């Protein structure tokens, strides 16, 4: 029935604004879930850094290996924080789009017409290029075009390489900042590590070393999953 109506009559403005708001809420919830996962991943990475540092203190023969591990985990921490920052910015843009869309429909209700908004079009162009939001943002852009709020379709999504440009060569100063923040803190809540008896230290250190590659692979896999 709705399809038949759409052929002979213009879309219902109230139905349009409801659908636009629904799509924006879906995107916002998706970003919030991803941000929550990144927060948990950051907390775990912090624990890995502290564990590696503690192991170096307990077993000097493993100090070089542990130092390399702490820097590797710190680089992952930098990547996580950058992605978290990007998602937070995207969420703010989404909220801005929602406010502007509702305002545009309110003006239409009063004046009987609607004007295209370059501000909304700019934000939508930015958001649709994110892999996390491409599908639902493309649907939202189509609805906004039907309503006359934006005038043209947006471009393709950004490749992952563009989103993480420069992350493979993180500035050492940034890594040092993360390590200084974490390791110079006397005690980080939720990351206290009890020392094991000295007789168990060699076996524990060997097990930790064997787990590092698997741990890093899991972390990177989670980061990639959040981008797909």
């Amino acid at each position: 029935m709705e399809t038949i109506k759409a052929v002979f009559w213009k879309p219902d403005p109230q139905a349009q604004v409801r659908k636009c708001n629904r799509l924006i809420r879906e995107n916002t919830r998706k970003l919030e879930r991803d941000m929550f996962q990144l927060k948990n991943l950051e907390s775990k990475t912090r624990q890995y850094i502290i564990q590696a540092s503690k192991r170096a203190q307990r077993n000097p023969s493993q100090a070089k290996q542990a130092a390399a591990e702490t820097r590797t985990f710190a680089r992952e921490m930098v990547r996580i924080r950058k992605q978290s920052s990007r998602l937070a910015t995207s969420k703010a843009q989404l909220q801005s789009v929602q406010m502007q869309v509702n305002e545009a429909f309110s003006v239409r209700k009063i004046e009987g017409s609607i004007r295209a908004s370059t501000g909304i079009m700019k934000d939508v162009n930015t958001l649709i290029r994110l892999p996390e939001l491409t599908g639902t943002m493309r649907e939202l852009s189509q609805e906004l075009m039907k309503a006359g709020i934006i005038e043209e379709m947006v471009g393709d999504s950004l490749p992952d390489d563009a989103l993480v440009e420069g992350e493979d060569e993180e500035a050492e100063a940034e890594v040092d900042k993360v390590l200084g923040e974490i390791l110079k803190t006397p005690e980080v809540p939720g990351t206290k590590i009890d020392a094991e008896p000295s007789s168990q230290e060699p076996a524990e250190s060997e097990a930790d070393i064997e787990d590092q590659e698997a741990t890093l692979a899991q972390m990177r896999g989670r980061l990639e999953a959040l981008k797909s």
Side-chain angles (χ1 to χ4, degrees):
M1 185 65 179
E2 294 296 327
T3 304
I4 297 175
K5 285 183 178 180
V7 174
F8 297 101
W9 290 282
K10 293 182 179 180
D12 176 20
Q14 293 299 318
Q16 284 183 309
V17 72
R18 284 196 299 270
K19 185 170 184 179
C20 288
N21 281 323
R22 176 178 60 79
L23 291 169
I24 291 172
R25 285 194 299 270
E26 287 178 6
N27 282 305
T28 301
R29 286 194 294 268
K30 172 67 167 63
L31 289 177
E32 289 173 345
R33 286 194 298 270
D34 288 350
M35 290 167 68
F36 180 76
Q37 291 181 47
L38 285 171
K39 184 177 180 181
N40 287 337
L41 193 56
E42 179 177 348
S43 178
K44 290 181 180 179
T45 306
R46 177 184 290 268
Q47 292 182 37
Y48 293 144
I49 291 172
I50 294 175
Q51 287 170 352
S53 178
K54 292 280 188 180
R55 181 158 49 83
Q57 295 172 21
R58 293 196 305 267
N59 191 346
S61 66
Q62 298 294 332
K64 186 175 180 180
Q65 174 71 22
E69 290 169 5
T70 57
R71 297 196 71 83
T72 300
F73 285 126
R75 291 187 183 96
E76 292 301 315
M77 176 78 83
V78 171
R79 288 167 61 89
I80 291 167
R81 288 181 173 180
K82 284 191 173 183
Q83 190 168 349
S84 296
S85 177
R86 179 170 61 84
L87 295 185
T89 299
S90 299
K91 181 181 175 181
Q93 286 180 308
L94 264 177
Q95 292 171 335
S96 174
V97 167
Q98 185 171 28
M99 290 176 61
Q100 293 179 76
V101 167
N102 288 330
E103 182 180 355
F105 276 103
S106 297
V107 171
R108 178 179 185 174
K109 185 175 182 180
I110 296 171
E111 299 181 359
S113 62
I114 200 165
R115 293 187 296 272
S117 169
T118 55
I120 296 177
M121 187 157 53
K122 181 180 178 181
D123 286 339
V124 171
N125 267 284
T126 300
L127 292 165
I128 202 172
R129 289 161 64 82
L130 299 177
E132 297 92 341
L133 304 180
T134 297
T136 48
M137 284 305 301
R138 192 172 297 279
E139 186 178 357
L140 175 62
S141 68
Q142 292 172 347
E143 290 301 316
L144 295 176
M145 285 182 63
K146 291 177 185 178
I149 295 176
I150 62 175
E151 296 179 339
E152 60 184 35
M153 285 295 290
V154 293
D156 295 331
S157 63
L158 287 174
D160 287 346
D161 291 344
L163 289 173
V164 296
E165 184 178 358
E167 289 185 356
D168 290 337
E169 299 178 0
E170 291 296 346
E172 289 302 305
E174 207 164 355
V175 174
D176 290 336
K177 182 179 178 181
V178 169
L179 290 174
E181 169 197 330
I182 295 173
L183 298 181
K184 289 180 182 179
T185 303
E187 183 174 334
V188 180
T191 58
K192 184 177 179 181
I193 302 170
D194 295 330
E196 296 290 337
S198 58
S199 61
Q200 296 182 13
E201 285 177 6
E204 179 183 302
S205 298
E206 184 178 349
D208 285 343
I209 294 171
E210 293 175 353
D211 288 341
Q212 295 309 313
E213 289 188 4
T215 300
L216 282 171
Q218 289 177 359
M219 290 169 56
R220 287 167 180 159
R222 290 173 184 172
L223 277 173
E224 292 303 319
L226 289 172
K227 296 173 187 175
S228 63

